Amino acid sequence: LSAFGGYDFAAWTTLTDDFDATNDTTYKSVVNNVCQPDLNCGAGDGIFYFELGTIANPSDCGDGGFEDYTSLSTDLSLGSTNDLTITTNYGSQYVSVWIDFNDNFIYEPEELVVDNFLIADGQGGGSYTETTQLSIPYTALAGEHLLRARTNFASPVPIDPCEDTFWGETEEYTVFLVPAAEIDVALTAITSPTNGSLTNAESIVVDVINVGTVAVTDIPVSYTINGGAPVNETISGTFEPLETVEYT
């Protein structure tokens, strides 16, 4: 029942010698959808072209400021940074994007992947196209997920993606998150040293994650200071997919 659309249910009893068979059956119709905020894109506010990965979708203003384009999809790699290009027909458009990583049909704050990117600040009517970056976490769940892009005129998109506002639009798409490769590790951060009073005995601490699809063993790691000679070491052990290690 996870597919969007309407579902008609019927339930009945079949008791032997039941006196009145006309009251044995009941029906119910339900609709499976995500929240659809009521917006207005009739003046040119909203999304009139959306490009991400292999999706390149010119569109018009949707009824009630909502368009379901979940039949359009693209693959995005875990840990990737992707160009997101949007055209609007009115300036001062804020854009936010969520991906439903946990597939519960609720766009939650931690699923926000574009946070109020502003297109054509201070401008009025006209066609404006701008590009921003949409990053996919290494630790996101691979597979099929819903994506919501939403705009709002002259003020930030509400943190609640279901909240009604007057000017703007919402569009829904589908993304498939795929591992980047079978064997792939990423060094995500140098967590130490930090700014302050340093000594000659500072430790270099890094975070490394296995973002591939298979376990890896004994990861070579190196660092330099001010472009000097590399210091080469090995992180010993076996690391499963999506396992993170802090190494000193």
Side-chain angles (χ1 to χ4, degrees):
L1 300 179
S2 61
F4 290 146
Y7 295 89
D8 296 323
F9 293 87
W12 59 90
T13 62
T14 54
L15 179 67
T16 302
D17 297 327
D18 190 332
F19 173 75
D20 184 0
T22 63
N23 64 6
D24 292 351
T25 302
T26 192
Y27 304 90
K28 184 175 184 179
S29 296
V30 299
V31 176
N32 178 33
N33 58 22
V34 291
C35 66
Q36 298 182 8
D38 188 17
L39 306 173
N40 188 335
C41 48
D45 300 273
I47 301 169
F48 289 80
Y49 178 75
F50 180 95
E51 182 176 328
L52 175 67
T54 59
I55 298 173
N57 184 40
S59 62
D60 294 320
C61 176
D63 183 30
F66 184 88
E67 287 280 14
D68 180 359
Y69 293 119
T70 52
S71 62
L72 302 179
S73 65
T74 186
D75 290 352
L76 300 175
S77 295
L78 297 176
S80 64
T81 297
N82 307 272
D83 286 344
L84 169 64
T85 299
I86 287 178
T87 297
T88 183
N89 288 343
Y90 209 96
S92 294
Q93 295 292 313
Y94 287 82
V95 180
S96 288
V97 179
W98 295 260
I99 295 177
D100 185 17
F101 291 121
N102 61 8
D103 302 322
N104 66 349
F105 303 108
I106 299 171
Y107 295 107
E108 296 159 304
E110 59 270 21
E111 297 176 323
L112 187 68
V113 291
V114 174
D115 187 4
N116 280 300
F117 174 65
L118 179 58
I119 298 176
D121 187 19
Q123 301 301 305
S127 180
Y128 307 98
T129 300
E130 295 192 21
T131 298
T132 188
Q133 302 299 303
L134 186 155
S135 295
I136 304 298
Y138 287 109
T139 54
L141 181 67
E144 178 181 355
H145 307 285
L146 294 175
L147 177 149
R148 166 165 291 188
R150 177 170 173 178
T151 70
N152 195 47
F153 169 66
S155 61
V157 176
I159 190 63
D160 178 3
C162 300
E163 181 180 332
D164 293 342
T165 55
F166 194 77
W167 297 111
E169 187 184 20
T170 302
E171 293 189 352
E172 301 276 323
Y173 294 90
T174 299
V175 294
F176 289 88
L177 304 186
V178 297
E182 185 178 79
I183 299 176
D184 188 14
V185 297
L187 199 154
T188 58
I190 301 172
T191 59
S192 182
T194 58
N195 293 329
S197 299
L198 304 179
T199 71
N200 290 329
E202 293 294 332
S203 295
I204 310 298
V205 182
V206 298
D207 288 340
V208 176
I209 182 172
N210 176 13
V211 295
T213 60
V214 299
V216 294
T217 302
D218 297 343
I219 303 171
V221 62
S222 305
Y223 71 88
T224 65
I225 300 175
N226 292 337
V231 177
N232 304 311
E233 299 186 13
T234 298
I235 307 175
S236 299
T238 298
F239 305 95
E240 298 297 325
L242 297 184
E243 183 174 353
T244 299
V245 59
E246 183 180 78
Y247 180 75
T248 301

